[in-house]
Amino acid sequence: MSTQTPETETETEQPSSTSPQQRRMEKKQAKKDQREADEAAAANEIQGETVELKVFRYDPEIEGKEEPRFDSFTVPFEKGMTVLDALIYARDEYDSSLTFRHSCRQAVCGSDAFFVNGRQRLGCQTQIADLDGPVRVEPLPHQEVVKDLVVEMDHFYDQMESVDPFFDPDETPDGELEEQRQDRENRENIKLSTRCIWCGACMSSCNIAAGDNKYLGPAAINKAYRFYMDEREGEQKRQERLEIIEDEHGVWRCQTQFSCTNVCPKDIPLTEHIQELKREAVKQNLKFW
Amino acid sequence: MYEHDVIVVGGGGAGLRAAIAAHEEGADVAIVTKLHPVRSHTGAAEGGINAALRDGDSWQDHAYDTMKGSDYLADAPAVDTFAQDAPEEVIQLEHWGMPFSREDDGTVSQRPFGGLSFPRTTYAGAETGHHMLHTLYEQVVKRGIEVYDEWYVSQLAVTDEDDPNERDCHGVVAWDVQSGEIAGFRAHDGVILATGGPGQAYDHTTNAVANTGDGVALAYRAGVPMEDMEMIQFHPTTLPSTGVLISEGVRGEGGILYNSEGERFMFEYGYATNDGELASRDVVARAELTEVQEGRGIEDEYVYLDMRHLGEERITDRLENILHLARDFEGVDGLEEPMPVKPGQHYAMGGIEVDEHGETCIDGLYAAGECACVSLHGGNRLGGNALPELLVYGARAGRHAAGADMPEPKIQTGPEPDAEREDLGVPVGAPGARDAAVDGGAVEHPDSDPKAIVEATAESERARIETLLEREDGVNHADVRSDLQESMTENVNVFREEGALKQALEDIQDARERYQDVYVADKSRTFNTDLQHTIETRNLLDVAEAITMGALARDEFRGAHWRKEHQERKDDEYLKHTLVSWNDGEPELWYRPVILEGDEQTYEPKERSY
């Protein structure tokens, strides 16, 4: 697939004489044909193809680099290449001062969240072949830029820490080798919330967080959810957690725009978790009546 | 200058566990780490944590399996201590809220893993390491332990006695990646290196880009021996294009390996007729490569790992993360197709020589986790033994550094003047002498005041970094690093031959020569990853050389170490650890006998059959 020519998706009207099922089947077939055609095209075109990266650059202390700008890098494209691979190539082959965080390159360390073609994504998890060229890579929006693609994460970490992000039961079993029991169903309920890798993509995508620096934000609220919903935690801590998330900069600020859920690289239903905590808060408040 | 009782270098599993343990002993602890702790590579571990928790299992059985898996190159006191402490550590994690996978009665699940005589691997889906790392970090936050994140430690502050056994460690020198500030960190009671593995010495590895063997190289240059470095584990199931790991949990749950003929080769070609896919990792890795070399691989490169028959429900319950990895990084739907896999560098069994308390021969200098070698894994680490190791030995190092009263160690450390030495007859490099700028083991100190020593070391580090930054042109470290990685993968891989090993040593020497002219193009003090990667590359050179020296010297077949010309385990010659130490001259290779006498039994070497 050429990265130079953006794909355009066009919705075609279906003739109304066919049944809904037929229409669905036809649509499915058309999609399949398109996918196969894309794959065939990709197989033919990869040889010798290049991808153009447009990368945000900024360094506060080097003359000529303190004005933000975009640099273009032309990188040889290989099947399976990710945005991170392309950045590494550009850095190692063209400009070793190109700066970005990365480590595990398997979507678990959470350090390479960037703004790629207008959306928060992990560089290592994003296939170049899935993007329209030229590929534009910017630092996460709404966070202070330290240098090039590196943003200040302290505010994000502070918000995470403000929800008491640690397990806090009333008591643990007496015996050193005695386990606390957890129901499989309960584990299943919190499972998705425990997948958070602290990449900050959700926070960066959130309009509310952008306008209210004190808003806990989706990641921190999800962290609170992870413990609040864990049946092993103590009742007293649950009350404390409710107070934290019910703060005026807590769950009630969420306007259910779903941008956090849309960009989460671990598919955590963040918006849903925030709504569930709102319901918990209401339930608890009703009890006091 | 920053001052703390205990300074932990590295924020992964071992570092966090060490910090918590030292804190519980009442010490003022700080973690200094080049990544934020939740970015550490422990988070990528998938499979699980071995511990004898259930009726029918025992620490003795766990110890026996570990010793057998090691091919009798582990030290019994390390193995016994490990197996005894592991259950308590795992339940401790449970008490800290770790979201383990659960049985119907609410207890933590355990599953079979390669080389284990009992299904004793506890796990949290196929993302055990992620949950463990976050659970540990949560406890660090709860305790208010200070974390200097994105601070890169580039030197140890060690006294300059002639004999490394008489040296003291008083702290470290680190620089703040964000601001470029270079500072001394004084440790009143101890420095614990927990910097992880050196997988970046290879170009096909499951290791993170940050895994550059920093701690191993730092300790080596300060005079601590590196132990059993030739023992590199190649994991049999990594994705061919990226090296991303496919957990042993897949085989533990019943995943099957096929060759291009559709044959279940582990049984049909007799590699492991008892245990099949669940043989030890070294056995499976060799089997796969043999299949490929004999023309039964797919695209002459890999084999298939199939889990489709396990059914969608079981896969999503226990291996869901594997589906994501196969899809995102190889474009394969594990529910519909078999996954392509091949061996990749995964784990260093060797590392910084330490005793059961994690202490090195230098007073006040400790190491734990993958960077350390208490000699638990010997020639081959069993799957599921890395995570409990960093818990058990992280905690012990933390306690000891904080001054807890612990019994005399049984494992000896430090260079021995009378040890058996070996001259390889091949030129190898002295790490300091060939560096680009001012460097060496210990800095010469005007007096013995610990603070002055830390400050003098910081000053020499400032000068060294200044020199690197001032140079206007020269060699790009990335070229040196990629040549090194390619040579290691080509010459010091699963199958090893004398000629290739010598070639690798020549390539490493060549890389050292070029490294002398290395320069840092980025002149900024702000977040200078160019500078950081340049210094990391130097660490990789030292580590790669020790791996290759050990591999050339050990002319036998033991555990993960296979030599084409020597197809037998030679117990009469090689029940001994390889040590490489450097003390202001050329690197020396010498040996120390393996300890096979354990608490309750002496482990008699037996043939490993699976």
Side-chain angles (χ1 to χ4, degrees):
Chain A
M1 185 193 321
S2 166
T3 49
Q4 307 295 332
T5 48
E7 277 179 83
T8 48
E9 274 185 36
T10 46
E11 285 289 325
T12 46
E13 281 290 313
Q14 296 294 333
S16 53
S17 58
T18 50
S19 74
Q21 191 192 358
Q22 259 178 312
R23 286 202 298 276
R24 277 201 305 276
M25 292 305 288
E26 280 166 17
K27 217 171 163 181
K28 229 176 166 178
Q29 186 61 41
K31 269 190 177 171
K32 193 181 164 214
D33 291 348
Q34 183 62 45
R35 200 179 64 228
E36 283 172 1
D38 283 350
E39 280 171 8
N44 290 334
E45 289 176 24
I46 285 163
Q47 286 286 333
E49 271 292 342
T50 57
V51 58
E52 194 188 351
L53 290 182
K54 286 193 176 304
V55 185
F56 178 90
R57 304 299 303 273
Y58 162 76
D59 187 324
E61 61 163 297
I62 298 288
E63 205 180 324
K65 290 184 173 176
E66 70 271 54
E67 279 301 311
R69 65 181 197 281
F70 280 86
D71 279 355
S72 285
F73 300 99
T74 306
V75 170
F77 174 75
E78 285 174 33
K79 188 167 174 266
M81 185 175 224
T82 63
V83 170
L84 179 64
D85 294 334
L87 285 171
I88 290 173
Y89 187 94
R91 181 194 66 199
D92 289 353
E93 300 294 325
Y94 301 135
D95 181 358
S96 60
S97 73
L98 176 58
T99 305
F100 47 93
R101 290 190 182 99
H102 69 296
S103 186
C104 76
R105 86 260 180 278
Q106 62 180 85
V108 70
C109 78
S111 56
D112 69 337
F114 307 124
F115 199 56
V116 181
N117 283 7
R119 181 192 156 111
Q120 288 80 359
R121 311 174 203 249
L122 294 185
C124 65
Q125 203 186 27
T126 306
Q127 293 282 325
I128 295 277
D130 293 340
L131 300 171
D132 296 335
V135 175
R136 201 177 155 92
V137 190
E138 299 165 76
L140 288 180
H142 304 135
Q143 275 147 291
E144 195 189 322
V145 179
V146 177
K147 178 175 168 182
D148 294 349
L149 301 174
V150 174
V151 293
E152 179 62 70
M153 290 294 286
D154 285 353
H155 176 63
F156 177 82
Y157 297 143
D158 288 346
Q159 297 305 81
M160 293 302 275
E161 296 198 1
S162 70
V163 298
D164 288 358
F166 43 79
F167 186 66
D168 201 356
D170 286 343
E171 54 186 28
T172 41
D174 287 341
E176 275 170 352
L177 294 178
E178 187 65 33
E179 298 154 53
Q180 307 163 99
R181 303 294 172 101
Q182 183 184 23
D183 200 71
R184 285 175 74 119
E185 202 182 331
N186 183 248
R187 178 180 185 269
E188 206 57 33
N189 285 344
I190 62 162
K191 186 171 88 178
L192 293 172
S193 70
T194 62
R195 295 219 169 125
C196 175
I197 55 173
W198 298 41
C199 68
C202 56
M203 193 76 160
S204 163
S205 77
C206 175
N207 284 326
I208 314 305
D212 174 4
N213 205 29
K214 290 185 182 163
Y215 175 44
L216 289 176
I221 296 174
N222 176 71
K223 192 77 180 168
Y225 176 98
R226 178 256 172 276
F227 292 111
Y228 183 84
M229 295 295 180
D230 192 318
E231 66 184 9
R232 296 169 298 170
E233 251 208 359
E235 194 49 43
Q236 193 190 328
K237 195 68 197 179
R238 277 167 66 89
Q239 287 305 324
E240 286 173 30
R241 288 198 195 283
L242 267 191
E243 281 164 30
I244 294 170
I245 58 171
E246 265 218 278
D247 177 270
E248 62 171 313
H249 300 284
V251 287
W252 300 109
R253 300 285 288 167
C254 170
Q255 295 182 4
T256 57
Q257 294 173 342
F258 288 92
S259 51
C260 54
T261 303
N262 289 335
V263 301
C264 177
K266 305 309 276 187
D267 298 328
I268 301 169
L270 293 154
T271 314
E272 212 175 286
H273 287 170
I274 299 172
Q275 301 319 303
E276 276 188 62
L277 286 178
K278 283 182 185 171
R279 283 199 292 277
E280 286 295 317
V282 171
K283 272 196 286 185
Q284 289 297 317
N285 288 339
L286 286 175
K287 275 187 197 163
F288 294 123
W289 279 37
Chain B
M1 185 182 303
Y2 300 88
E3 291 195 46
H4 296 277
D5 295 337
V6 175
I7 288 173
V8 178
V9 182
L16 298 172
R17 185 66 192 89
I20 294 166
H23 187 266
E24 284 179 345
E25 288 294 326
D28 159 34
V29 193
I31 296 169
V32 186
T33 167
K34 69 178 178 179
L35 307 172
H36 184 279
V38 302
R39 316 285 176 222
S40 304
H41 197 53
T42 299
E46 294 166 11
I49 316 173
N50 296 339
L53 297 177
R54 300 283 179 250
D55 288 346
D57 199 6
S58 67
W59 75 259
Q60 289 89 344
D61 286 354
H62 187 188
Y64 179 80
D65 290 346
T66 302
M67 184 54 95
K68 179 182 168 212
S70 82
D71 224 352
Y72 303 91
L73 191 67
D75 283 335
V79 172
D80 286 351
T81 303
F82 162 76
Q84 286 165 27
D85 285 7
E88 203 178 309
E89 286 292 335
V90 169
I91 300 304
Q92 173 77 86
L93 273 184
E94 202 282 339
H95 290 177
W96 286 340
M98 170 137 168
F100 281 106
S101 292
R102 300 277 166 171
E103 293 300 316
D104 287 338
D105 67 356
T107 56
V108 301
S109 297
Q110 294 198 298
R111 65 179 166 206
F113 247 50
L116 299 183
S117 58
F118 190 90
R120 70 169 72 89
T121 309
T122 60
Y123 61 98
E127 46 204 24
T128 312
H130 164 78
H131 292 305
M132 181 167 143
L133 178 69
H134 282 258
T135 302
L136 289 169
Y137 181 62
E138 287 156 18
Q139 293 299 311
V140 163
V141 171
K142 186 177 184 180
R143 288 162 172 75
I145 293 171
E146 187 147 7
V147 179
Y148 298 84
D149 68 302
E150 297 191 323
W151 276 79
Y152 182 71
V153 171
S154 62
Q155 191 63 282
L156 300 176
V158 173
T159 56
D160 57 357
E161 283 80 6
D162 288 343
D163 182 353
N165 293 301
E166 288 167 14
R167 292 177 189 163
D168 293 312
C169 181
H170 291 302
V172 304
V173 178
W175 93 78
D176 180 355
V177 177
Q178 266 202 39
S179 73
E181 175 198 351
I182 298 171
F185 284 74
R186 159 100 203 274
H188 299 119
D189 297 331
V191 169
I192 301 172
L193 297 171
T195 59
Q200 287 295 319
Y202 288 82
D203 68 4
H204 189 82
T205 174
T206 63
N207 280 200
V209 178
N211 289 14
T212 50
D214 297 344
V216 182
L218 284 174
Y220 173 60
R221 287 196 289 270
V224 180
M226 292 189 263
E227 181 173 355
D228 293 337
M229 293 299 287
E230 69 273 23
M231 294 302 180
I232 295 288
Q233 179 163 79
F234 297 88
H235 197 290
T237 58
T238 73
L239 295 177
S241 58
T242 52
V244 165
L245 176 70
I246 296 301
S247 167
E248 185 162 317
V250 175
R251 282 172 291 135
E253 297 291 343
I256 293 173
L257 291 165
Y258 291 112
N259 62 18
S260 62
E261 319 276 306
E263 294 163 319
R264 194 173 175 184
F265 56 85
M266 288 306 296
F267 289 106
E268 292 178 29
Y269 286 86
Y271 298 107
T273 39
N274 294 323
D275 296 352
E277 284 83 1
L278 273 180
S280 220
R281 287 177 176 176
D282 57 323
V283 176
V284 182
R286 278 191 300 273
E288 290 176 358
L289 279 191
T290 305
E291 287 299 295
V292 171
Q293 283 175 359
E294 291 181 0
R296 294 186 297 275
I298 297 121
E299 293 184 9
D300 280 334
E301 194 192 354
Y302 52 85
V303 297
Y304 281 136
L305 175 62
D306 195 352
M307 63 176 184
R308 292 173 293 181
H309 57 285
L310 301 177
E312 187 170 349
E313 195 187 336
R314 185 150 163 207
I315 293 171
T316 43
D317 182 34
R318 300 175 175 205
L319 299 165
E320 189 181 348
N321 188 42
I322 300 304
L323 292 177
H324 297 308
L325 294 174
R327 183 195 64 205
D328 292 346
F329 299 104
E330 202 68 42
V332 167
D333 179 353
L335 292 174
E336 302 285 333
E337 306 156 81
M339 300 175 284
V341 292
K342 72 173 200 180
Q345 193 283 345
H346 181 56
Y347 188 89
M349 272 76 76
I352 303 165
E353 188 204 43
V354 294
D355 64 25
E356 307 96 291
H357 308 322
E359 197 169 26
T360 69
C361 63
I362 294 182
D363 204 34
L365 182 62
Y366 297 78
E370 190 175 342
C371 73
C373 180
V374 59
S375 202
L376 169 64
H377 308 302
N380 173 60
R381 175 177 68 77
L382 294 181
N385 264 359
L387 297 182
E389 179 199 11
L390 57 82
L391 294 169
V392 167
Y393 285 106
R396 292 175 70 88
R399 269 180 225 127
H400 197 271
D405 192 15
M406 291 163 82
E408 270 296 296
K410 292 176 190 158
I411 294 171
Q412 300 300 306
T413 57
E416 283 179 25
D418 305 330
E420 173 196 356
R421 281 173 162 67
E422 184 156 357
D423 181 5
L424 296 170
V426 183
V428 286
R434 290 186 177 273
D435 193 11
V438 187
D439 188 32
V443 174
E444 283 186 26
H445 307 300
D447 55 49
S448 58
D449 171 45
K451 271 180 131 166
I453 290 167
V454 174
E455 197 37 62
T457 313
E459 205 40 61
S460 85
E461 199 59 6
R462 285 185 195 109
R464 187 169 79 91
I465 286 172
E466 204 60 47
T467 312
L468 272 175
L469 287 172
E470 274 170 7
R471 198 171 279 178
E472 282 303 323
D473 60 22
V475 174
N476 178 3
H477 80 87
D479 295 336
V480 178
R481 187 187 287 205
S482 68
D483 288 349
L484 174 77
Q485 291 169 330
E486 278 171 33
S487 179
M488 290 298 285
T489 299
E490 175 72 24
N491 298 311
V492 200
N493 213 304
V494 175
F495 293 134
R496 298 169 172 185
E497 299 175 35
E498 187 177 334
L501 294 171
K502 286 184 169 162
Q503 179 62 48
L505 282 175
E506 265 179 47
D507 293 345
I508 293 165
Q509 276 298 86
D510 185 49
R512 277 197 193 285
E513 299 281 347
R514 287 162 62 210
Y515 191 84
Q516 282 187 282
D517 298 322
V518 81
Y519 90 116
V520 179
D522 188 355
K523 303 302 176 196
S524 176
R525 292 281 176 177
T526 306
F527 224 98
N528 193 335
T529 51
D530 195 8
L531 173 63
Q532 184 182 330
H533 296 157
T534 301
I535 295 181
E536 287 171 348
T537 298
R538 180 181 66 150
N539 294 336
L540 287 172
L541 286 169
D542 291 346
V543 169
E545 188 173 72
I547 293 169
T548 313
M549 283 171 72
L552 183 59
R554 187 175 283 276
D555 46 13
E556 65 157 353
F557 169 18
R558 183 179 301 273
H561 174 67
W562 179 99
R563 284 284 299 269
K564 188 181 182 190
E565 307 87 354
H566 306 274
Q567 296 274 328
E568 270 178 279
R569 196 176 78 191
K570 298 176 184 167
D571 286 343
D572 46 346
E573 274 181 80
Y574 278 109
L575 280 173
K576 60 191 184 187
H577 300 291
T578 313
L579 292 132
V580 177
S581 52
W582 176 72
N583 194 23
D584 222 3
E586 292 293 305
E588 280 195 318
L589 191 139
W590 53 283
Y591 298 104
R592 195 197 294 284
V594 173
I595 307 171
L596 293 174
E597 296 81 38
D599 279 358
E600 294 187 359
Q601 60 168 317
T602 294
Y603 297 90
E604 290 295 335
K606 290 188 188 117
E607 194 187 339
R608 280 200 310 156
S609 58
Y610 287 98

